[in-house]
Amino acid sequence: MIFEDLQTTPTASELLDTAFSRAARAGRAKHGVEAQQSMLQTASNVLSDNLEYVVRDWPDFETLDPFYYELADALVGVDDLRQHLSEVSWAGHKTHELGREYIGRLPKGDADAAKKIRQQAFARMGSVMNEVAADLEAIGEARNTLSKLPDIDPEIPTIAVAGYPNVGKTAFVNSVTRAHNETAAYPFTTTGINVGHVERDHLTYQIVDTPGLLDRPASERNEIESQATSALAHVADLVLYFYDPSETCGYPLEDQQALQAEIEATVDAPMIVVCSKADLSEEIEADHYLTIPSETAGEIVGETPTEVLEAAIERLDVDIELPFER
């Protein structure tokens, strides 16, 4: 996942402590004006290099897949993050310039005067770091938030599983993906998201169960969840919409129908309607009627989860380019 490799962002205090302690060691290895010059050069290099690395570690948002861009914007605000990174980049250039400026002002042969100039330079560098302390903190918080996103690959054919809670979505994902599913929590929902993978004909398909996003009306979603739903629209190649017409899930059928209409208007992808818990009720017009064996002690009605999955994969009709066809 594109954000998981971001390195921990150091604080301004941590960078200053590192820069000045390394500078002190560098100074002890030399004498007189040369020692002060070595300290200046070391501190300047440590600060500028680390600040520039903080900036370079982030991906280029202009080339980011729309799915990840909108998730990042929903969680941390891309424009705000860019501004923080810009300020840190400025600080990196500034600490480099201060090193060159004050090294050029060092007198020859006067160690005491050189020490005072080096101290002035360190004070200036400290002021620069204080100016971007809040920016580094904000970048660190953004990194911590985005690195927790579950690994959803926009390049893999993706089936999004939608519907109200307790209609059989998670049981379906767990059934068809078996040991290949992973559960992780989005930073904007307390419920885990299931991401499963299956392989057919040498091609991997991604199945995403999205609690907290596509399991309730837009009017009940907060702003972040709404943006995340928009992001999901970029990655979903097909939607499996689950109904529980028996209403044992706790939600009236008309509410389930209204949610289907909302998702159809939000996600530009074909939809397959699945009547789940078909052993309890089939009172809904659906493309498939499903009973998950592990979820019932009664009669198995309709299709199995695997049969529904195969129908979804067939509907996707992904064209595979084989090496000998190039």
Side-chain angles (χ1 to χ4, degrees):
M1 195 267 292
I2 195 166
F3 297 116
E4 67 182 353
D5 293 328
L6 290 170
Q7 298 299 306
T8 302
T9 307
T11 66
S13 295
E14 289 170 341
L15 285 178
L16 283 172
D17 288 344
T18 300
F20 292 163
S21 62
R22 290 186 184 177
R25 289 198 299 271
R28 287 195 294 269
K30 298 181 181 180
H31 303 282
V33 174
E34 189 178 2
Q36 303 305 315
Q37 178 177 339
S38 181
M39 293 175 71
L40 267 173
Q41 189 69 67
T42 299
S44 174
N45 288 346
V46 169
L47 291 175
S48 61
D49 289 350
N50 278 278
L51 290 168
E52 285 301 315
Y53 181 78
V54 167
V55 177
R56 291 196 307 270
D57 196 32
W58 284 84
D60 181 0
F61 284 97
E62 293 300 325
T63 60
L64 208 58
D65 186 277
F67 170 70
Y68 282 123
Y69 183 98
E70 290 205 25
L71 280 183
D73 197 35
L75 291 170
V76 302
V78 169
D79 288 342
D80 290 339
L81 179 56
R82 280 175 169 156
Q83 184 60 39
H84 294 309
L85 290 169
S86 176
E87 293 296 326
V88 170
S89 180
W90 164 82
H93 291 300
K94 188 64 177 179
T95 50
H96 177 71
E97 291 173 0
L98 287 171
R100 294 182 59 184
E101 175 187 343
Y102 279 87
I103 286 173
R105 292 168 57 180
L106 291 174
K108 295 181 179 179
D110 190 340
D112 289 338
K115 181 178 179 180
K116 290 180 180 179
I117 290 174
R118 188 267 301 165
Q119 290 172 334
Q120 292 172 6
F122 276 17
R124 292 279 305 279
M125 292 178 188
S127 296
V128 170
M129 295 305 297
N130 287 336
E131 286 190 49
V132 295
D135 297 292
L136 286 167
E137 183 177 351
I139 292 169
E141 291 175 354
R143 176 263 174 198
N144 293 340
T145 297
L146 295 178
S147 64
K148 296 175 184 176
L149 287 172
D151 189 5
I152 298 177
D153 189 346
E155 300 301 320
I156 295 178
T158 301
I159 299 170
V161 183
Y164 265 92
N166 305 316
V167 296
K169 305 190 304 295
T170 301
F172 171 80
V173 174
N174 290 341
S175 177
V176 298
T177 59
R178 296 184 176 87
H180 303 293
N181 62 312
E182 302 170 0
T183 301
Y186 273 117
F188 40 76
T189 178
T190 58
T191 309
I193 179 169
N194 290 318
V195 182
H197 299 86
V198 295
E199 289 191 6
R200 294 291 186 277
D201 299 322
H202 309 290
L203 185 65
T204 298
Y205 294 84
Q206 191 168 233
I207 304 175
V208 182
D209 173 22
T210 56
L213 297 181
L214 297 182
D215 65 358
R216 61 182 181 275
S219 60
E220 296 180 15
R221 301 177 198 139
N222 61 39
E223 182 179 354
I224 290 178
E225 289 170 336
S226 296
Q227 286 183 266
T229 301
S230 178
L232 184 63
H234 291 291
V235 76
D237 298 300
L238 182 142
V239 176
L240 279 177
Y241 188 81
F242 275 61
Y243 273 100
D244 172 13
S246 73
E247 301 182 350
T248 57
C249 63
Y251 299 94
L253 187 57
E254 54 266 29
D255 288 353
Q256 298 179 55
Q257 291 170 323
L259 180 59
Q260 178 194 354
E262 279 193 11
I263 293 173
E264 285 181 311
T266 302
V267 182
D268 185 20
M271 176 179 285
I272 292 178
V273 176
V274 179
C275 171
S276 185
K277 304 182 185 180
D279 57 311
L280 299 179
S281 174
E282 297 182 51
E283 295 300 316
I284 187 69
E285 184 176 343
D287 298 301
H288 300 278
Y289 294 83
L290 165 71
T291 301
I292 300 176
S294 62
E295 297 293 300
T296 180
E299 180 184 1
I300 304 300
V301 177
E303 298 163 277
T304 66
T306 299
E307 290 172 324
V308 173
L309 173 65
E310 296 300 334
I313 290 175
E314 184 177 353
R315 176 73 177 275
L316 277 173
D317 192 25
V318 178
D319 187 21
I320 306 173
E321 183 181 285
L322 300 176
F324 55 81
E325 295 178 331
R326 293 175 183 171

